[in-house]
Every structure is written in structure tokens, then in C-alpha cells.
Amino acid sequence: MSYGEIDQEFEEQNASAAALDDSQPKYTGGVLPNPLIDDIKALQPKKGVLIPLKTTQEVRQDHTIVHALITRAPTKSANEVISALRDMRPDGSANPLPHLRRCAKPSDLPAHLKTQFMNDTPEGRQIHTAKSSWIYIIVSEISDITEEELVATLSCIEGLEQDIFISTIPIPLLAPTSQIQAAMWSSQFWPTVYRKNNPLGPHPSMVARGTEEIKDDAAMWMTLAHRVATEAKNSGIGEAIGAVVVQRDENGAQLVAVAGDARWRQDPLLGDVGNPMAHCVLRAISMVAQKLVRHERRNVGLTFETPILEFDAFHDGPILDAEKECFLQEHPNKDGYLCHGLELYVTHEPCVACSMAILHARMGKVVFCNHMPRTGGLSSDDRPDGGGRGLGLFWRRELNWSLLAWELEQDNHLDLATLDPITHV
């Protein structure tokens, strides 16, 4: 089907839809009807479990333990000690480790530290067995202050002239991202504070709200992505990989684009060597853009025609039946900008090139079904065989866009042909 034929058929379908518009019920939520998904909705696929991806900082957090100096002082001298420690720091900061409590009573220490400090010296036994008038104070990382500097500073404080206590303990370098993690660290390292945010990634409330928005129909969109993936594989144009783009607003969730992989489609210049520009994610993004351009041109009285090229580098025109049917449908937001705020459901984790295209297109949410630990660009998890950590491109502070991303685990997802682990999706 040429673009001209698609243009004509699109006009005919729009005319029919306009005639029936007044008789159709208005939807105010849920998934809006579409012939490509109506039968899937009737099947009611199991929802599965949405697992939010960790950012690169969150993954690093799980690995980064450093050592810190601590001391103890009579409670009446604690403020003087803290002031002296602040003066030792060039920036004058009160607490260089804000996710850890600066002071801790002997009874608040983790059990192993209580045992260690109680058995070290007679003074320690007295402090930990009687009603204590002493308090433990965390100083800083050992790389910031030497023990000699610390002793020299504390020896000037009344009540600490002799037997200055200094010890080294392991601590987590970065802040906890949940109350559960803070409680676990409090029992393992040092009393830890959770501030109901996530300094290392999206705020927990953002993730929770996003999960709540998509959890009821994510499996349905993923089922459609599996269908178009199977169609791409069976037709011989690509691997069993598929993508679906969805818009969600106050009216409900609407289908915007579907695309299968087309890397093996025959071309006179490429032959069968494969075309990384025809990955399903790139094709889906292009189809969204083409719908917006089509509307803009029609709005000013121009037809939507593209040159007939001997070599179409991107294969971004609709090829499969599902692609053609969806491409004929109007974009639900004719004034949209790129893929701003849209949702992408893809059978496999996108590669680095596709992940960057997702960011540049300003996608709002991404859900994939099959993690690609060797080639995926969204995940931050450690790669196998010493391959380093993933790039975690969905949320990096140095990039000018970020989005929410999940891996969808399903017990009953449709079986797809197995991909080589080094396949770039």
C-alpha cells in the first residue's frame, strides 16, 4: 500500500467515523475501544507485576560502603564537640553524611557495635551497662579527617582531655531510598534517616502514581506488542520484537502506534545484512511523528505525500497489517509534541540507540517485558561476565530528559522466538 492509498483510505475512514461520532458513547476513563485491542480486552490478560527500574545511582548505592570515624562524648559536651567538628571542615557543614544521624545514644547503636564497644574497655562496659550520660557522634569519612587531626581537636574540649575514644565503622555512602532500607541499615551500620524522597532517582510518589496509572492495562498493551512481534517474525521482515505507543489522559488510554521489527526486510542496497535503523522502537516513534505531520499538512490543505525512494533507510512506513490499520487512525492529540508524555510498551528492553531515541522523543513511560542484560540501554543492573553496569538511560541527571520505566513480569506472556543475548533490540 502506497502513502497515497493510505491517505485516501484514511480520509474515507475519518468520514465514516465523523458520521457516527454523535451516536457513540463518550468514554471518561479506562481503555478506549480500538479494533486492534478489543478482543485482547475481552481475554482479560493477567496483569503481571510491574518492577520499577533502578537508576545508576541506586545500583551504585547497593555496592558502595565506605568507612567513617566516630567518637563519643559526655552528653553535656556534645554541642561543643559538634561545633569543633564543624570548624574542621572547610565548608563548615554540620553533617557531611546527612542520611546518617549525627548523634546516637549507646542504646540506639546496632547490636554488634554495642557488643564491640562494651567489651573493648572498662569505660565502655560502664557506658553500656549503666544509665548512660554519654553519646556517640559520627565524624566523617576517614578520607576527610585523619585520626591525628581529630585527637588534636577533641583534646581541647573539657571532659575529653584523656582517653579520647575514636573508632572506625563501615557505613553506606548514599542515602536510603525507602523506609525499609533505612531500618535495615540502622541495624547493620548506624542509625539511618529516610527523608521520604529518593535523591538517586524518581521520587517514590512519582513511581507509585505511575504504577497505579498503568497497572490495569499494561499487560493488554504488552499482549498487542507480542502480537505485532510475532507478525514481524512470521512475515520474515525482522526479529520477534514489537512496540506499542499509547496516550493516556483524562478520557482514558488510546492506541497511537504499533510497530514490529524490520531489520531483515530486503533492500536493494542492504541485501540481508540487517538494518539497525529499522528497530521497532525507532519505527514506532517515526509513525507517531508522521501522524502529527499528516495532521499539520491537512490542516493547511496539503496532502500527506512522501517521495518514493529506491532505498528507505528507516522502513518507517507501515508494513504489517496491524501497523497499517493503526497508521490509518488519527493521532488522539493532534497538537502533541513528538512523543511527549506518551507510553511505550515493548517486548524487549531497547538497545542504547533506541533508548536515546526514546529520550529525544520525550516519551513519558516505558515498559518492557524481556530484560536484555548484555545490550539493553534502559536498565542499570550489572551485566554478566564482568561487563560492567548498564547505562540506566531512563534516568540520568546529566541528560536533559528522564522518564519512568518498568520491567513487566508475567507468568503467562505469549511465547516469542528466543533472541540471541547479544541482539540489539
Side-chain angles (χ1 to χ4, degrees), residues 21-331:
D21 185 62
D22 292 336
S23 62
Q24 295 296 320
K26 302 298 182 183
Y27 287 84
T28 57
V31 177
L32 275 66
N34 190 299
L36 286 168
I37 57 170
D38 289 343
D39 67 318
I40 301 176
K41 283 197 292 183
L43 293 173
Q44 296 182 334
K46 292 183 179 180
K47 295 179 182 179
V49 179
L50 287 163
I51 303 175
L53 298 192
K54 286 186 175 183
T55 67
T56 53
Q57 286 288 86
E58 287 174 311
V59 172
R60 175 183 172 225
Q61 168 201 60
D62 294 339
H63 296 267
T64 307
I65 301 297
V66 297
H67 285 80
L69 292 170
I70 65 170
T71 187
R72 66 187 175 208
T75 304
K76 63 181 181 180
S77 303
N79 286 336
E80 191 175 353
V81 171
I82 291 173
S83 296
L85 295 177
R86 182 187 296 117
D87 293 339
M88 292 182 69
R89 299 188 59 79
D91 56 359
S93 61
N95 186 358
L97 301 163
H99 59 290
L100 303 178
R101 294 197 182 280
R102 189 65 192 264
C103 301
K105 298 177 181 178
S107 59
D108 293 334
L109 293 179
H112 67 282
L113 290 183
K114 291 180 189 176
T115 302
Q116 175 185 336
F117 298 153
M118 184 169 60
N119 294 329
D120 277 351
T121 61
E123 292 81 3
R125 282 192 291 276
Q126 182 179 6
I127 288 172
H128 284 270
T129 55
K131 185 176 180 180
S132 180
S133 60
W134 286 69
I135 195 165
Y136 286 87
I137 302 170
I138 195 163
V139 179
S140 68
E141 290 183 58
I142 59 174
S143 58
D144 293 342
I145 298 175
T146 66
E147 288 194 31
E148 291 76 13
E149 292 172 330
L150 182 58
V151 169
T153 297
L154 296 180
S155 62
C156 299
I157 298 174
E158 184 179 354
L160 296 181
E161 299 91 344
Q162 297 178 347
D163 298 326
I164 294 174
F165 173 86
I166 296 175
S167 184
T168 302
I169 62 169
I171 60 166
L173 177 63
L174 303 174
T177 58
S178 71
Q179 187 65 57
I180 294 174
Q181 191 171 52
M184 181 177 67
W185 286 354
S186 294
S187 65
Q188 292 179 334
F189 300 104
W190 182 268
T192 305
V193 180
Y194 173 60
R195 303 189 185 280
K196 295 184 179 179
N197 65 0
N198 182 3
L200 313 176
H203 194 283
S205 65
M206 289 176 56
V207 178
R209 186 168 61 249
T211 303
E212 185 66 25
E213 288 173 351
I214 68 174
K215 66 181 179 63
D216 290 335
D217 52 67
M220 185 201 68
W221 300 118
M222 193 63 73
T223 300
L224 178 59
H226 277 76
R227 283 189 177 181
V228 73
T230 301
E231 189 179 353
K233 180 68 174 179
N234 293 341
S235 68
I237 68 169
E239 298 291 340
I241 310 167
V244 171
V245 180
V246 174
Q247 175 177 298
R248 192 181 305 270
D249 55 28
E250 64 276 4
N251 297 319
Q254 301 182 65
L255 180 64
V256 181
V258 298
D261 185 71
R263 70 186 64 195
W264 304 123
R265 192 186 186 205
Q266 297 297 308
D267 274 307
L269 298 183
L270 280 182
D272 61 353
V273 299
N275 183 1
M277 293 182 290
H279 290 188
C280 64
V281 169
L282 298 179
R283 299 185 67 234
I285 291 173
S286 179
M287 290 183 196
V288 174
Q290 289 179 70
K291 283 190 172 186
L292 293 173
V293 172
R294 181 174 66 194
H295 167 72
E296 291 175 358
R297 291 181 63 83
R298 288 200 176 103
N299 206 33
V300 295
L302 299 174
T303 59
F304 180 66
E305 295 286 350
T306 58
I308 298 175
L309 303 176
E310 179 185 8
F311 171 53
D312 176 11
F314 291 95
H315 300 317
D316 55 359
I319 302 169
L320 306 172
D321 291 340
E323 295 172 354
K324 293 175 183 177
E325 185 173 353
C326 185
F327 192 75
L328 291 172
Q329 299 168 2
E330 182 62 280
H331 194 303

